[in-house]
């Protein structure tokens, strides 16, 4: 039996189905005047329309510099809440809470699986490297002449017993020379170079990606704790990716 929490779970990558801010319109549909929030919609293959809160900005630097990355669009005074972990990791502020593959008409379903998220990211232009070592990442970077950057994908499977819909999370490498400095953006939160336990992210597979969602089930005072597990590394080509 699917348990329904009395409040929304906090998601890092996915969008809640009932979140009107990011409600995708079906082909040919128009949002009712009282329901339209986003100032712009992007039509993707298949005709669906994705809400967008500002034009896409592509970052020019991969350094850990939240105030300057993507012209500061990941900060509170800009469009922090409209960009998620996928936006930050790919260095593209689409201001649409971007979803892997959506620009190309591919829509993730809940709960998201590792293969499904990877498929969407590949459609956007990312390259799957699998669960490789630091040495293998370094070899790949050398073959690319140090151009482009690397991201790590974590997956949290759904749990119907507590109504957890499942989610994904991404982290971005800020130092391709040693691959020992990473950063992330947890959903609509601020950018940080710490994991979910407050430790510097030196290697995503061993970082702490556990989230205490708190007590969200009526009649159950226990905290609901969910965890994201490392799934794979992916390469973001210097030529860029296309996402919304």
């Amino acid at each position: 039996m699917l348990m329904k929490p009395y409040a929304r779970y906090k998601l890092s990558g996915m969008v809640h189905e009932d979140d009107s801010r990011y409600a995708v319109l079906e082909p040919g549909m128009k949002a009712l005047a009282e329901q339209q929030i986003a100032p712009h919609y992007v039509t993707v293959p298949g005709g669906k329309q994705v809400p967008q809160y500002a034009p896409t900005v592509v970052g020019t630097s991969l350094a850990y510099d939240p105030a300057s990355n993507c012209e500061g669009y990941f900060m509170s005074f800009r469009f922090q809440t409209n960009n998620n972990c996928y936006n930050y990791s790919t260095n593209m502020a689409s201001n649409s809470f971007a979803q892997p593959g959506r620009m190309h008409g591919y829509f993730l379903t809940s709960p998201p699986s590792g293969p499904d998220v990877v498929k969407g990211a590949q459609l956007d232009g990312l390259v799957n490297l699998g669960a490789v070592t630091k040495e293998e990442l370094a070899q790949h970077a050398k073959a690319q002449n140090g151009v482009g950057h690397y991201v790590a994908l974590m997956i949290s499977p759904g749990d119907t017993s507590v109504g957890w819909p499942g989610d994904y999370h991404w982290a971005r490498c800020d130092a391709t020379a040693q691959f020992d400095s990473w950063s992330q953006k947890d959903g609509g939160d601020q950018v940080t170079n710490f994991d979910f336990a407050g430790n510097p992210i030196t290697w995503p597979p061993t970082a702490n990606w556990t989230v205490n969602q708190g007590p969200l089930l009526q009649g159950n005072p226990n905290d609901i704790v969910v965890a994201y597990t490392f799934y794979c590394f992916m390469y973001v080509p210097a030529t860029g990716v296309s996402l919304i």
Side-chain angles (χ1 to χ4, degrees):
M1 177 180 178
L2 176 63
M3 298 294 293
K4 186 175 179 60
Y6 64 82
R8 284 179 180 161
Y9 282 110
K10 182 180 184 300
L11 299 176
S12 180
M14 294 287 282
V15 175
H16 283 286
E17 294 180 355
D18 61 349
D19 191 337
S20 58
R21 296 174 301 169
Y22 305 111
V24 174
L25 300 181
E26 293 296 324
M29 289 184 60
K30 289 186 177 181
L32 298 177
E34 65 272 17
Q35 296 178 335
Q36 184 168 345
I37 302 175
H40 179 65
Y41 284 80
V42 176
T43 302
V44 300
K48 291 186 177 182
Q49 302 166 71
V50 178
Q52 185 181 40
Y53 287 84
T56 296
V57 172
V58 180
T60 57
S61 170
L62 289 169
Y64 178 66
D65 186 8
S68 298
N69 286 162
C70 290
E71 300 178 12
Y73 271 41
F74 298 126
M75 304 303 293
S76 295
F77 85 112
R78 290 281 189 164
F79 297 95
Q80 174 185 308
T81 59
N82 302 125
N83 291 288
N84 62 3
C85 58
Y86 189 50
N87 286 115
Y88 178 72
S89 68
T90 54
N91 205 24
M92 288 186 67
S94 67
N95 310 301
S96 62
F97 224 75
Q99 299 298 307
R102 191 164 62 176
M103 176 63 89
H104 306 277
Y106 177 79
F107 287 78
L108 292 173
T109 56
S110 184
S113 69
D116 288 342
V117 177
V118 167
K119 178 181 178 180
Q122 288 176 317
L123 288 172
D124 290 341
L126 280 72
V127 179
N128 184 17
L129 301 179
V132 295
T133 64
K134 285 185 181 181
E135 291 72 21
E136 289 171 319
L137 282 180
Q139 291 174 3
H140 187 274
K142 183 177 180 180
Q144 309 304 317
N145 295 317
V147 178
H149 71 278
Y150 298 84
V151 296
L153 170 63
M154 280 66 68
I155 296 291
S156 179
D159 184 350
T160 57
S161 69
V162 294
W164 171 242
D167 196 18
Y168 62 81
H169 185 53
W170 297 85
R172 183 178 90 188
C173 183
D174 303 314
T176 54
Q178 301 296 328
F179 292 98
D180 59 356
S181 178
W182 300 69
S183 54
Q184 51 101 3
K185 185 179 187 300
D186 184 10
D189 288 355
Q190 290 187 337
V191 172
T192 178
N193 54 1
F194 294 105
D195 65 13
F196 292 165
N199 304 306
I201 308 171
T202 57
W203 187 235
T206 58
N208 187 315
W209 303 114
T210 301
V211 180
N212 183 349
Q213 298 275 353
L216 289 178
L217 297 179
Q218 292 183 344
N220 183 351
N222 298 321
D223 291 338
I224 297 174
V225 179
V226 298
Y228 297 74
T229 302
F230 170 76
Y231 185 76
C232 71
F233 290 108
M234 298 192 77
Y235 170 67
V236 183
T239 52
V241 295
S242 177
L243 55 82
I244 189 64

